[in-house]
Amino acid sequence: MDTSQQKDLFDIPEDICYLNTASLSPSFKAVEQAGIDAVLQKSRPYLIPSSDFFDPVIELKKRFAELIQLDEFERVASIPSVSYGIATVANNIELNAGDTVVLMQEQFPSNYYSWKKLTDTYKAHLKIVQAPKTTSNRAKLWNEAILEAIDDSTAVVAMGNIHWSSGALFDLKAIREKTRMHDALLIIDGSQSVGALPFSVKEIQPDALICAGYKWLFGPYGCGYAYYGPYFDGGEPLEENWTNRLDSHKLPDLTRYQHEYKPLANRYVMGESGSFIHVNMQLEALKQVLLWTPEAVQNYCRGISVKAVEELRNLGCYIEADDYRSHHLFGLELPESINIKAFKKALSDQQIFVSFRGNYVRLSCHFFNTEKDFERFLNCLKSVIN
C-alpha cells in the first residue's frame, strides 16, 4: 500500500493539524459521497426496494466480522452507541450479593455507569483497579494489578483493549485466561482500538465486544457495532422492534406477530438498524478500513511518531513504555512547569487539534497524518516552555 496517497482520501486543509481521531474521525471523501447519495435516495423513496432494509445491514455485519476475525456474522448487531451495547450486556447479567465487577481507573463513562447501576441493584461491588503511581513500567504493573484483582468473587471484567486516555495496552489474552479460571465474563470496549489495532475474537474469545463506529471505524456519529458471544444467545433485548423478530423480512406479514427473535445477536439490533444514510456510509468506511488493515495502521503511526515521542520524553513528558502502549493513540503527561491555559491557547491559535483527557494530552493519528504534524505539535509545546 502506498501510504503517501492515503491523505488524498480525505478533505483536510494543509493548514490544519488534526491529531484527534480518537475523539472524532474525519470522513473519507467516499464516505461523505455515500452519505450525500443516501440523502438524495431518500428524496425518491419509491426507488428504494424493501430489500434495502436488510441486505446492506447483512453486508455491514459481514465486513465488521471480517475485521474482528469472527466466523459467525450473525453474532454482530448494529447499535447506535457504546452505552446501548453495554446496557444490553448489563441487562442480561444477574449478580449475587458480594460479587465484584472489575473496571479500570478512569474508564470511559459509557462503560462505567451501567456497571455502577448493576452492582447497586444487586448489592454487589465495583472493584476499580488503579493505575500505579510510578512512571516506571506503569502499564506493565497495571496489567499485573488487573490480573491480581480477578478472583472467585469476580463476576465480570469490563475494560478496553487500551486505556482511552493514555493508550496503555492491556494483555487481553492473559486476562481472558484468568476470567475463565474464575467463571467471570469479559466485556471489551473496542472503541479506541478496533480498526487501528489488531483484534481477534478467535484469539481473545470475549463474551461481548462493543465498538463506537465514528472513531477508528470512520462511520458517522450515531453508529456502532456489538459482538455478543454464546452467553447472550437467549437474552432480552433493550427494545422490541419489528426487525429483531423472526421472518421480519416478510413485510406483508408483519401483523402476524412473531414471538421468536431472530437467532444469535440479531435480537439485540437497534430499531431502524437499516438506516439508509448510516449504513451506506458505514459500508464505505469499513471497505477502506479492511483494505488498510489494523497492522498497517499501527506500523504507519509508529513510524511517523517515533521521533516526536523520543523528543517529548526528553522534554520531561511521560508516555507509556513503547511495548505497553498503542501507537495510533497515546497520552502524555506534561511537566508541571507547563502553563496549561497558555498551551491550549497556542494550540488553538496554530490550528492544532488534540484532546485533553484527565491528566493526559492525548494524541491520535492515522494515515492522513505525517511526521510534520508531530513536529508542529512539538514546536507549539516548546514555544510554551520557552
Side-chain angles (χ1 to χ4, degrees):
M1 179 179 61
D2 185 357
T3 54
S4 65
Q5 296 178 358
Q6 302 308 304
K7 191 170 184 177
D8 293 338
L9 299 174
F10 298 86
D11 186 22
I12 301 177
E14 287 296 325
D15 60 337
I16 297 296
C17 176
Y18 194 73
L19 292 167
N20 205 22
T21 296
S23 179
L24 185 65
S25 67
S27 291
F28 319 139
K29 294 174 184 176
V31 171
E32 177 185 297
Q33 189 60 52
I36 293 170
D37 291 344
V39 170
L40 295 176
Q41 183 188 35
K42 180 62 169 60
S43 298
R44 297 181 177 179
Y46 45 84
L47 297 178
I48 302 175
S50 59
S51 60
D52 274 13
F53 285 98
F54 303 98
D55 293 348
V57 177
I58 291 173
E59 180 61 29
L60 186 65
K61 292 179 180 182
K62 287 180 177 178
R63 290 186 186 182
F64 183 72
E66 181 182 350
L67 181 65
I68 62 173
Q69 296 185 13
L70 170 67
D71 292 331
E72 300 173 281
F73 74 88
E74 287 193 309
R75 290 201 173 278
V76 175
S78 49
I79 56 175
S81 63
V82 169
S83 58
Y84 188 101
I86 295 295
T88 297
V89 170
N91 188 54
N92 287 284
I93 294 175
E94 293 183 2
L95 302 177
N96 297 312
D99 282 350
T100 60
V101 174
V102 175
L103 306 181
M104 307 304 102
Q105 177 186 354
E106 295 184 350
Q107 200 149 281
F108 193 78
S110 294
N111 200 13
Y112 168 84
Y113 289 124
S114 285
W115 303 117
K116 179 68 169 67
K117 182 177 181 180
L118 187 70
T119 50
D120 286 349
T121 298
Y122 287 99
K123 294 182 171 54
H125 307 287
L126 283 180
K127 184 185 288 188
I128 309 294
V129 183
Q130 302 292 322
K133 301 292 186 183
T134 178
T135 55
S136 176
N137 296 320
R138 180 185 294 172
K140 180 177 183 293
L141 295 172
W142 201 358
N143 272 275
E144 292 173 0
I146 293 166
L147 290 171
E148 187 176 345
I150 302 168
D151 55 30
D152 285 341
S153 72
T154 307
V156 181
V157 177
M159 60 188 298
N161 195 163
I162 63 174
H163 193 270
W164 68 293
S165 299
S166 70
L169 188 62
F170 298 117
D171 187 352
L172 294 184
K173 193 171 182 179
I175 292 167
R176 170 78 280 190
E177 291 176 2
K178 189 73 183 290
T179 58
R180 277 208 187 92
M181 289 172 57
H182 297 281
D183 295 322
L185 298 174
L186 177 61
I187 312 301
I188 302 300
D189 178 357
S191 299
Q192 295 291 14
S193 54
V194 172
L197 187 72
F199 184 91
S200 171
V201 167
K202 289 183 181 178
E203 180 183 16
I204 306 301
Q205 298 181 13
D207 294 289
L209 169 71
I210 314 297
C211 298
Y214 62 91
K215 299 176 185 289
W216 305 99
L217 299 174
F218 289 89
Y221 192 71
C223 71
Y225 306 86
Y227 155 80
Y228 296 106
Y231 180 88
F232 297 98
D233 283 354
E236 292 288 328
L238 290 183
E239 56 176 299
E240 306 297 340
N241 63 71
W242 67 277
T243 57
N244 65 6
R245 296 286 177 157
L246 206 60
D247 296 328
S248 58
H249 62 285
K250 300 176 182 178
L251 300 187
D253 298 333
L254 287 181
T255 54
R256 294 182 180 178
Y257 301 125
Q258 173 60 257
H259 296 293
E260 295 294 323
Y261 293 109
K262 288 180 178 177
L264 305 181
N266 293 295
R267 67 179 58 217
Y268 297 121
V269 299
M270 65 181 181
E272 301 185 15
S273 61
S275 166
F276 310 108
I277 299 172
H278 275 181
V279 172
N280 284 2
M281 296 175 75
Q282 289 174 264
L283 281 170
E284 198 63 44
L286 286 190
K287 177 182 176 182
Q288 183 61 56
V289 170
L290 286 165
L291 285 174
W292 278 331
T293 77
E295 292 84 356
V297 174
Q298 282 299 296
N299 290 334
Y300 180 78
C301 293
R302 181 188 294 109
I304 65 171
S305 62
V306 62
K307 291 180 182 177
V309 167
E310 181 180 1
E311 192 159 354
L312 285 165
R313 285 172 173 153
N314 290 336
L315 289 173
C317 298
Y318 174 77
I319 300 172
E320 299 285 3
D322 293 345
D323 291 340
Y324 281 88
R325 67 173 177 87
S326 58
H327 296 276
H328 66 292
L329 178 165
F330 60 92
L332 52 117
E333 293 181 347
L334 298 173
E336 292 184 3
S337 58
I338 298 294
N339 184 318
I340 298 296
K341 186 176 180 179
F343 185 38
K344 287 183 176 181
K345 184 178 186 305
L347 289 168
S348 178
D349 290 344
Q350 297 177 39
Q351 298 192 87
I352 300 171
F353 296 88
V354 299
S355 287
F356 287 78
R357 297 292 185 265
N359 295 327
Y360 294 96
V361 179
R362 187 182 67 191
L363 308 182
S364 51
C365 56
H366 211 278
F367 279 126
F368 56 83
N369 295 114
T370 66
E371 282 188 72
K372 290 183 180 179
D373 290 315
F374 284 99
E375 289 172 7
R376 283 180 63 177
F377 176 82
L378 268 167
N379 290 335
C380 183
L381 179 60
K382 288 177 182 177
S383 70
V384 177
I385 294 175
N386 292 335

